[in-house]
Amino acid sequence: MLEPGAVIGILGGGQLGRMLSVAASRLGFRAHIYEPGINPPAGDVAHRVTTAPYEDLAALRAFAASVDVITYEFENVPTAALDALEALRPIRPNRRALAISQERIAEKEFLTGLGLTCAPFAPVGSLADLQTALARIGAPAILKTARLGYDGKGQARIMAAADTVEAWETMQGAPSVLEGFIAFSHEVSVIAARGLDGSVACYDPGENVHQGGILRTTTVPARLSASQRSDAVLIAARILNALDYVGVLGVELFVTPQGLIVNEIAPRVHNSGHWTQQGCAVDQFEQHIRAVAGWTLGDGSRFADVVMENLIGDDIARVPALARERAVSLHLYGKGEARAGRKMGHANRVVRGIT
Ligand code: ATP
Ligand code: MG
């Protein structure tokens, strides 16, 4: 169990790294951010920032030597960088969790291997593969790059066989996966945590609405029956245990009449868990820091109904109006330019307190 004053190393300095840094400092720790880009959002609040690329092994080693434990806010850290870091300090969540969530095919094989249901899928490495896969899976389907997708980027929808050539061109030759289209009624996610001692704490599932491939809102409680709610939590716990996971994990699920289908997992705090900042005594950021620091997990029970709304691009202009609303808590990321599609902040609206 890390003592106050210990240093939490965080790979990535975006908004998740920023909110993790705040949580770390609230617990008496210091956050050291490693981020290739200049002026990262986390830099405003972290104790220390290293600005260097993930290829700079000397910078990585110096960073590792200066921290007590290493965690991350995004999953696409190169393997060689992780090797250099892991030789010096523990990385939590572990390498296997990271490797699995970096690659959609490995992820789906892992999930289905646990007996969980995913969309039907097939690896695709060429146009011919795509045509064979589509013949098996059927249209509509979605082609996704196996690596490096986020916010719906690196995806192409295939409505009919005639769309295959264009869809394959969108992938620019990258190894991909074809997924059958799931006619879900809605999307939910479970944010769950596992401690060093193996204990698990799950937050109540949130219901997610996407727009243009980007998360728009998360609402708690989600529309789920009591048994779907337990299923969602059991799915998350099963994944955490199988990975011997330490930290917070996000599990995205499609709700269908046939049951819950796992879309993907994220080995980190998750945008759809931001509501916990106003809905729980211990939010996902504190929970993650507690876990990676070897502390006892906090209580994740929900005491309010909350709607989290992402402020994307020009939405930032709504801040003065949102700031006048009594039940709204604002979380802004300190990003300069409000480009289209850029997450600038989020607003948590407490709809109803639960007594
Ligand atoms: P993010 O970073 O936002 O999680 P991502 O780029 O990793 O996104 P996915 O989560 O795989 O991509 O897909 C984004 C969204 O596209 C999903 O939340 C869902 O709305 C839709 N989608 C993805 N796969 C399927 C599918 N097989 N069937 C139906 N809809 C899908
Ligand atoms: Mg997703």
Side-chain angles (χ1 to χ4, degrees):
M1 182 170 165
L2 292 183
E3 304 276 331
V7 183
I8 313 281
I10 302 173
L11 303 173
Q15 62 268 17
L16 302 178
R18 177 179 172 107
M19 292 182 276
L20 286 169
S21 298
V22 171
S25 69
R26 271 200 285 116
L27 295 181
F29 298 123
R30 289 176 168 164
H32 184 169
I33 297 287
Y34 191 102
E35 161 66 49
I38 53 158
N39 295 328
D44 294 348
V45 298
H47 180 68
R48 203 173 149 190
V49 180
T50 294
T51 308
Y54 286 116
E55 289 69 35
D56 186 341
L57 294 182
L60 287 163
R61 287 191 196 109
F63 167 79
S66 77
V67 305
D68 294 285
V69 66
I70 297 167
T71 189
Y72 44 90
E73 62 139 32
F74 86 126
E75 47 271 47
N76 293 315
V77 181
T79 307
L82 296 167
D83 289 340
L85 295 168
E86 200 175 33
L88 295 168
R89 292 292 182 272
I91 300 179
R92 295 179 187 146
N94 63 39
R95 293 287 296 278
R96 183 158 173 249
L98 201 53
I100 283 174
S101 52
Q102 276 179 348
E103 216 273 338
R104 292 191 194 275
I105 299 162
E107 177 176 308
K108 288 176 196 303
E109 281 166 355
F110 163 73
L111 294 167
T112 50
L114 289 181
L116 305 177
T117 310
C118 295
F121 69 97
V124 169
S126 65
L127 179 60
D129 282 357
L130 176 57
Q131 284 159 344
T132 315
L134 190 69
R136 178 162 74 75
I137 288 171
I142 303 188
L143 186 64
K144 302 180 181 177
T145 53
R147 288 180 176 272
L148 300 173
Y150 72 99
D151 286 349
K153 293 189 172 60
Q155 299 195 8
R157 297 222 168 171
I158 299 182
M159 301 313 289
D163 300 340
T164 49
V165 173
E166 196 185 327
W168 177 241
E169 276 168 7
T170 315
M171 302 298 115
Q172 299 181 318
S176 303
V177 59
L178 185 73
E179 281 183 32
F181 191 87
I182 304 297
F184 54 78
S185 55
H186 50 295
E187 293 185 78
V188 300
S189 57
V190 188
I191 309 301
R194 187 166 176 278
L196 256 186
D197 61 357
S199 57
V200 166
C202 286
Y203 292 103
D204 201 13
E207 182 167 332
N208 301 323
V209 174
H210 292 82
Q211 236 170 47
I214 306 178
L215 182 68
R216 181 83 229 163
T217 59
T218 300
T219 302
V220 280
R223 284 171 297 156
L224 289 173
S225 66
S227 65
Q228 286 172 325
R229 205 168 289 274
S230 345
D231 266 350
V233 168
L234 289 169
I235 288 170
R238 171 170 260 187
I239 295 169
L240 289 170
N241 282 339
L243 292 172
D244 192 21
Y245 195 93
V246 175
V248 165
L249 171 94
V251 185
E252 300 178 7
L253 301 162
F254 298 137
V255 183
T256 76
Q258 290 74 41
L260 300 177
I261 292 176
V262 185
N263 173 29
E264 61 173 355
I265 59 176
R268 51 170 168 78
V269 287
H270 197 259
N271 193 168
S272 69
H274 292 357
W275 66 268
T276 59
Q277 293 170 312
Q278 266 60 53
C280 304
V282 172
D283 68 29
Q284 64 164 349
F285 301 100
E286 177 175 338
Q287 193 75 300
H288 186 77
I289 297 295
R290 281 178 177 237
V292 302
W295 285 30
T296 310
L297 293 182
D299 180 8
S301 332
R302 185 171 65 80
F303 55 68
D305 293 355
V306 185
V307 179
M308 186 287 308
E309 183 188 6
N310 270 337
L311 303 176
I312 301 168
D314 292 343
D315 287 341
I316 196 75
R318 291 170 42 214
V319 163
L322 286 165
R324 283 193 292 272
E325 283 192 53
R326 280 186 62 212
V328 166
S329 172
L330 281 168
H331 301 260
L332 305 178
Y333 308 150
K335 295 183 185 175
E337 198 193 337
R339 287 194 299 271
R342 193 174 195 205
K343 291 175 180 167
M344 304 299 292
H346 65 274
N348 283 333
R349 182 175 277 106
V350 174
V351 180
R352 187 174 69 100
I354 300 167
T355 48

